[in-house]
Amino acid sequence: MAIRTLTPDVVAKIAAGEVIERPVSVAKELIENSLDAAATQIAVEARAGGAELIKVSDNGVGIPSEDLELAFQRYATSKIGGLEDLDRIASLGFRGEALASITAVADVEVHTQASSDPTGNYLSLKEGVVVRREGRARPRGTTITVSRLFRYFPARLKFLKSTSTEGGHIAHLVSQYALAFPEVKFSLTVDGRPSMRTTGGGDLREVVGEIYGPEVAQRMIRLEHKGGLAQVDGLISPPALTRSTRNYLSLFVNRRWVRSPLLTRATAEGYRGLLSDGQHPVVVIAVSLPAQELDVNIHPAKAQVKFCNEQAVFSDVRKAVEEALARTPVAASPKATPFSPGSPVLQSAPMVMDNEPAFAVAQLPTMELPILRVLGQLANTYVIAEGPDGLYLIDQHAAHERVIYDRVLAQRSRKDVEVQGLLQPVTIELSPREDETLRCNLDLLSEFGFAIEPFGNRSYLIRAIPAVLTEGDIIGAVTMLLDSLDIREGPSRWEDKIAESLACHGSIRAGQQLSTEEMRGLIKQLEQTGQPRTCPHGRSTMIHLSTHRLEKEFGRIS
Ligand code: ADP
Ligand code: MG
């Protein structure tokens, strides 16, 4: 193809793609604009995961009438004036790209009232062109409605159809901003249903309670540390309160929500030795430092920051965490597994590499299992196996739990759950609390393979169960599952919890004799899981005794 200059329309769409990757990016840019406009109330609404509609309303300063069209031009911003301002950015936005990018890929309506104007103004844009403008009254503030996202952008639209998780991303995003700005009253409505609401009372613990539940909020430890460079504030969980994913790590730099491997590592360092593998704390950490110590202009979506003095920030955050944990009595009893890496006889070495924080473990290539040859079973509980580097003792229950947990979640995400119909329905009677939990979760449970019908007066008929449970005790399994769904903890963890419960009930018990074939099958399945070395609760599935260690123990080498 001969070289030619792209038309402005194509250029705009390409550039827009860098800022607006997906619906949640629209929500992020609009919320940031509302915060920059000093709003104290921000209402977010999403429909169909944001693909159909994202609407953000605020009570901020509004957009003055004469600037209204300009706000939708590329590189039009009221937040910086020139190059010199880039060194001291105090606002969340500054590139003047977001509104222009959004109008390039969606239909946009804005309704705003600035205090300097006699009345409000309404503007509607389609394909980046103003199609309507009129005066329309409203209280001070701005509402921006974005609809039919990526409609003129087929490549992205296709991607969007294939993801069903956008609503969750938007909910997560709003939670993060609510944590970063406890003094702002946030609300989120998803498909017409109220999903989240904070009071704007300014108390971080209260916001944590709204998002993660009052029990978590109450147990969190206050973080307050004036470091050499940075001020570090927030709330962090005690070592006994952990989650199996890193989704509960909220990091803010100068009130900007960031993804920062540096801060993640610094936090993990602060918890060093206190958490088992696969466990992550619940953390809300706000780092404040002089604007010139920070470069926020390294990515169009502004989700990453670069610190001028990384070492200083790292050590300030690590110390802040260490100090807060040291203040709690729980920290005195480290939650290490019996055979921790430092223990004299055995080492669980592959699970934690020296100098690596616990957070990084899940991503290390060492998570994969080498090929293992089954040698036998010990105490009807452990599988003994040989690998390229020594001996492995595998906890058969923990290992099978991991296998089933992964299978349950994979089947569910493929919407291909194996179900076992019961010839005789089983009747189950529940306590009021269990009844409430089940009632709210009938749909979710059916997605995991349960067919349960109300049968009057807190009793239910179980007609089908997930196939992984076939041989288990059905009533016991369902009751345990309901107990694990803690309403206060919020639904974000429920799927994990259901999978954990099913895994626990559906797996081989300790004390059960296994044939060599069964053990081989188990190891083979374990090899195929994402995290073969830990069970879903984060405990080790195996102990590794390396050849080197053996040789040392037997005095073959010194
Ligand atoms: P940036 O935020 O980088 O300045 P945007 O394209 O996001 O660029 O917004 C352009 C301008 O529109 C902003 O600089 C601001 O002046 C104005 N604006 C956008 N949203 C709002 C809002 N909710 N309230 C007040 N002004 C807004
Ligand atoms: Mg902006």
Side-chain angles (χ1 to χ4, degrees), residues 29-30 32-33 36 79 92-99 302:
E29 295 296 339
L30 297 182
E32 289 190 352
N33 280 346
D36 283 345
K79 298 169 194 174
L92 296 169
F94 56 87
R95 297 172 59 110
E97 285 181 309
L99 293 185
K302 300 162 290 174

Side-chain angles (χ1 to χ4, degrees), residues 33-34 37 58 61-63 71 76-79 93-100 142 144:
N33 280 346
S34 296
D58 68 48
V61 295
I63 308 176
T77 178
S78 57
K79 298 169 194 174
F94 56 87
R95 297 172 59 110
E97 285 181 309
L99 293 185
T142 305
I144 297 191

Side-chain angles (χ1 to χ4, degrees), residues 370-392:
I371 301 217
L372 298 179
R373 186 167 72 89
V374 171
L375 301 177
Q377 194 183 20
L378 175 70
N380 285 342
T381 300
Y382 307 103
V383 177
I384 311 166
E386 178 190 18
D389 181 28
L391 180 82
Y392 289 76

Side-chain angles (χ1 to χ4, degrees), residues 372-444:
L372 298 179
R373 186 167 72 89
V374 171
L375 301 177
Q377 194 183 20
L378 175 70
N380 285 342
T381 300
Y382 307 103
V383 177
I384 311 166
E386 178 190 18
D389 181 28
L391 180 82
Y392 289 76
L393 268 182
I394 298 148
D395 179 321
Q396 65 195 37
H397 175 67
H400 201 214
E401 267 191 314
R402 165 56 69 192
V403 169
I404 296 200
Y405 177 81
D406 279 26
R407 187 186 303 160
V408 165
L409 287 182
Q411 286 184 359
R412 177 175 139 72
S413 72
R414 289 199 311 264
K415 295 198 168 28
D416 175 25
V417 175
E418 274 180 74
V419 176
Q420 171 72 49
L422 302 177
L423 289 175
Q424 275 293 339
V426 173
T427 313
I428 182 169
E429 302 209 0
L430 300 175
S431 73
R433 182 180 162 269
E434 288 164 344
D435 176 47
E436 200 50 46
T437 312
L438 182 57
R439 196 178 297 280
C440 301
N441 285 290
L442 280 175
D443 288 349
L444 184 61

Side-chain angles (χ1 to χ4, degrees), residues 139-156:
R140 199 192 74 154
T142 305
T143 299
I144 297 191
T145 311
V146 175
S147 49
R148 303 205 284 181
L149 184 62
F150 298 139
R151 207 177 142 210
Y152 317 114
F153 208 152
R156 285 284 163 85

Side-chain angles (χ1 to χ4, degrees), residues 19 37 64 255 265 307 366 374 381 383 385 398 430 450 519 522 527 531:
V19 185
R255 307 200 96 187
R265 279 203 312 278
F307 299 103
T366 50
V374 171
T381 300
V383 177
L430 300 175
F450 286 99
M519 288 188 278
L522 174 62
E527 280 164 3
Q531 292 185 41

